[in-house]
Amino acid sequence: HVQLVESGGGSMQAGGSLRLSCRDSGHFPDVAWFRQAPGKAREGVAALRTKSGFTEYADSVKGRFTISKDSGENAVTLQMTSLESNDSAVYYCAADQQSIAMGWLLVGSSYKLWGQRTQVTVS
């Protein structure tokens, strides 16, 4: 039974930073972070092809968020800086055992494995 576990969420003031981690995900070919704010649709935030290092970001987080692989921990992390109130949401990591086609990395239906969630609140 494969399970993804997120950690690192919490509360932060605007302008601050948080680092999310998705444990036991670094061996999957593609890993992504999604978020969902109350009353809003789920949004793909960042995706990583773990072998090539290719990354893709939503326009709303470009230049502020960085997705990367922590090989020592077999985890994929999301470093979030210059946080804004609009970043407040529940965050999920997602992965799949099959490589995902280009153009679909930030689409939720591309992934079969999901973490439980971690809350990020920016005030």
Side-chain angles (χ1 to χ4, degrees):
H1 176 68
V2 178
Q3 184 174 5
L4 303 177
V5 179
E6 302 100 335
S7 62
S11 297
M12 178 58 64
Q13 290 184 335
S17 300
L18 282 172
R19 181 175 179 266
L20 305 183
S21 181
C22 182
R23 196 178 71 194
D24 295 332
S25 65
H27 60 285
F28 292 107
D30 300 312
V31 181
W33 285 93
F34 291 79
R35 68 185 181 186
Q36 188 165 20
K40 294 187 178 181
R42 183 175 60 191
E43 175 189 21
V45 173
L48 170 71
R49 291 203 188 278
T50 58
K51 289 186 177 180
S52 68
F54 174 82
T55 58
E56 187 172 340
Y57 296 94
D59 288 343
S60 57
V61 305
K62 280 181 182 176
R64 302 189 299 120
F65 289 14
T66 303
I67 187 171
S68 62
K69 179 179 175 181
D70 183 338
S71 297
E73 297 291 330
N74 190 28
V76 172
T77 63
L78 183 68
Q79 180 68 46
M80 306 185 293
T81 64
S82 301
L83 284 165
E84 304 168 354
S85 58
N86 288 340
D87 295 321
S88 295
V90 291
Y91 283 71
Y92 303 85
C93 67
D96 201 272
Q97 294 172 338
Q98 301 294 325
S99 186
I100 294 167
M102 288 297 290
W104 290 85
L105 286 170
L106 294 181
V107 177
S109 59
S110 301
Y111 298 86
K112 295 184 181 66
L113 304 172
W114 291 82
Q116 294 178 324
R117 63 188 277 169
T118 187
Q119 177 71 45
V120 171
T121 302
V122 183
S123 59

